[in-house]
Each structure stands twice: as structure tokens, then as C-alpha cells.
Amino acid sequence: MKKSHVLLVFTFLLLIPYICSLAIIGIGYNALVLHSAEICRTIIGALVGSIIMFAVKATIQRPVDLLAVQTNDGLLKQLLRFFSIRRRYFFLFANIVLDFILCFASTYLARSILTLDQIVGNSIGFVLLIMFVSTCLGAYVEYDNLSIDPQQH
């Protein structure tokens, strides 16, 4: 598979939904938690968010493995390995720590960029719409290679 094709699938099927998941965690945390600006509560929210992100990565393990097999580019292979949970424990721990930092930043950015009305309003709906369209596009582009039975039409 060409590098541009793998990059397109990576962007629509993995990267955009990952960023949307972080946004959902940040917006949802700020919408649900009273006094969400307290550092202790934000740390707990980021910890729960990093566990959720680990679970999200578990669900996309098969497409990640299939894409990693089909690329020869070193940088792209490393980007795909970021989403892989089948690694040594040190890298798993580092991945969870990175997710914790990103979830912490997501809750902080959602709180500082969006107003309370936007947080409680329809901002999650827009993020979910972006995630849904992106996932559908990524799956459509690479349906044959990511399906369980590629010979099936």
C-alpha cells in the first residue's frame, strides 16, 4: 500500500478520532464536575481519561496492526506504534503517562477556550459528529484491507 494511502487511513481512522476522544474527555469532565478548575480534581479527571484512552486504543488494535504491516516508512510506523498496546511494559506505561498529560491538557484547554454554555451545550455533539464522519471516511477508504475477510465483497 502506498504511503499516502496509509497516511490518509491513519489520519481519518486513528488520529482525528483520537483527538476527538481527548476533546470529549475534556468537555465531558468540565460539564460534569463541579469546581473542575481545582488541580486535584483535574488530576483525577486526567487519570480516568487516560484509562479511557487506553481502552480506546485496545479497540483499534487490529486496524493499527494491519496498517503497520502494510507500511515501510519508519516515521509512519512509529506513529502507528503509538496507538499499539502490544508493547513492552515500559512503553505501555509511557503511553499511559502521555495520555494522562494529554487528558490534563484537554480538560484545561476546554475550560479555558469554551464558555460554560458551550461546554454544557452542544460542543460534544459537534465533536462526536466530526469523529463519526472521520471514522466512516477512514473505514470506507480502507474497508477491504481492514475487514476480517478481505476476499468478501
Side-chain angles (χ1 to χ4, degrees):
M1 185 185 319
K2 292 190 296 187
K3 178 182 172 183
S4 61
H5 195 76
V6 172
L7 194 57
L8 184 70
V9 172
F10 170 75
T11 301
F12 284 114
L13 196 59
L14 300 172
L15 188 61
I16 292 174
Y18 181 78
I19 293 169
C20 288
S21 296
L22 287 172
I24 289 170
I25 288 169
I27 293 168
Y29 169 77
N30 286 301
L32 295 174
V33 176
L34 187 62
H35 305 294
S36 61
E38 291 179 7
I39 190 74
C40 184
R41 291 183 184 196
T42 304
I43 288 172
I44 292 171
L47 180 64
V48 171
S50 65
I51 293 169
I52 291 169
M53 292 306 289
F54 185 79
V56 167
K57 288 177 184 176
T59 63
I60 61 169
Q61 190 60 53
R62 178 167 164 69
V64 167
D65 290 342
L66 290 173
L67 284 173
V69 166
Q70 297 180 8
T71 185
N72 294 326
D73 184 73
L75 178 63
L76 189 55
K77 210 176 248 305
Q78 290 303 318
L79 283 173
L80 287 168
R81 289 188 73 205
F82 169 75
F83 289 94
S84 178
I85 60 169
R86 294 181 184 164
R87 300 174 71 185
R88 290 182 290 192
Y89 290 118
F90 173 75
F91 290 119
L92 282 176
F93 181 73
N95 201 318
I96 292 173
V97 169
L98 180 63
D99 282 339
F100 172 81
I101 293 167
L102 291 174
C103 288
F104 187 89
S106 173
T107 58
Y108 179 78
L109 286 174
R111 187 170 45 245
S112 61
I113 292 174
L114 300 174
T115 65
L116 185 58
D117 289 337
Q118 291 171 329
I119 289 172
V120 177
N122 53 7
S123 57
I124 289 234
F126 287 122
V127 173
L128 283 174
L129 178 65
I130 292 168
M131 180 186 286
F132 177 73
V133 169
S134 173
T135 305
C136 287
L137 286 173
Y140 175 75
V141 168
E142 199 50 33
Y143 176 77
D144 289 336
N145 289 331
L146 298 178
S147 65
I148 293 172
D149 183 12
Q151 305 304 323
Q152 178 184 11
H153 292 286

